[in-house]
Amino acid sequence: MDYGEFSKKELSEVLGIVHGATSCSTEAGLKSLLSGLKELVEAERAICALGNSEGRILKAVNLSYPEEWLTMYADGGFAGKDPVLLYNQDSLKPFFWSDSLRVYSESEHRGLMDDATEFGLRYGVSSGVKSPEKGVASIFSFSGERNSFTERHLKLLDM
């Protein structure tokens, strides 16, 4: 990757996040890292979660997603039909939410994303890490009402 396209400030912020991640052991620490990532990708909202291979969310750390949406999501069992979560299980790279809808385009997936839009979760980028031997995967999702996410944001998340 060519790092020359990033400012020294951006690279310093990425390095700080990476360094912080190596010693993060509390939810408060994770929220601090998530907040730094949110600012780096210029998102309005951020959340991260850990799930298992059956598509069940084991733990979520919410920075700024609407609580009403999260309650509706959990009560409706949306994790199994969320195109962003499903795509994240297949992807090894950061991606735009629109990429997930190209793969998971059935009406149930589109309907879920339409519902999310009503809560200000219209556009987004996500990234995660999988541990197949442990049967878990993480996801970090950043969203907003404006389509302001670019390839640059994907590259920053990739770092």
Side-chain angles (χ1 to χ4, degrees):
M1 178 183 295
D2 178 18
Y3 299 105
E5 68 183 281
F6 300 104
S7 70
K8 288 180 183 178
K9 182 179 184 288
E10 287 171 319
L11 292 172
S12 176
E13 289 171 4
V14 168
L15 187 58
I17 291 167
V18 169
H19 180 266
T22 63
S23 61
C24 181
S25 61
T26 65
E27 188 169 316
L30 184 55
K31 280 189 173 186
S32 177
L33 292 172
L34 191 57
S35 179
L37 282 167
K38 177 181 166 278
E39 295 303 314
L40 198 62
V41 298
E42 305 170 61
E44 295 170 38
R45 303 189 183 277
I47 194 168
C48 64
L50 182 68
N52 64 17
S53 56
E54 290 87 44
R56 194 170 132 242
I57 296 174
L58 305 172
K59 174 74 176 167
V61 175
N62 180 29
L63 189 64
S64 51
Y65 269 47
E67 289 296 332
E68 186 180 354
W69 167 250
L70 297 177
T71 299
M72 188 172 130
Y73 189 97
D75 291 348
F78 291 169
K81 58 184 173 184
D82 182 343
V84 174
L85 279 183
L86 294 169
Y87 193 86
N88 184 65
Q89 291 175 355
D90 299 333
S91 178
L92 296 175
K93 294 282 186 187
F95 61 93
F96 298 114
W97 288 3
S98 56
D99 295 335
S100 70
L101 279 171
R102 279 194 269 290
V103 175
Y104 297 96
S105 59
E106 291 83 11
S107 62
E108 68 178 329
H109 304 300
R110 292 205 174 274
L112 185 141
M113 295 306 283
D114 289 343
D115 289 344
T117 296
E118 294 177 26
F119 291 89
L121 309 170
R122 179 178 300 272
Y123 301 99
V125 292
S126 293
S127 184
V129 177
K130 291 187 281 191
S131 177
E133 60 278 352
K134 293 184 180 181
V136 296
S138 66
I139 186 167
F140 290 78
S141 280
F142 306 91
S143 65
E145 291 192 59
R146 296 176 297 114
N147 189 10
S148 59
F149 300 108
T150 67
E151 291 291 329
R152 178 182 192 78
H153 296 121
L154 295 181
K155 289 177 183 177
L156 286 166
L157 286 175
D158 197 32
M159 283 191 265

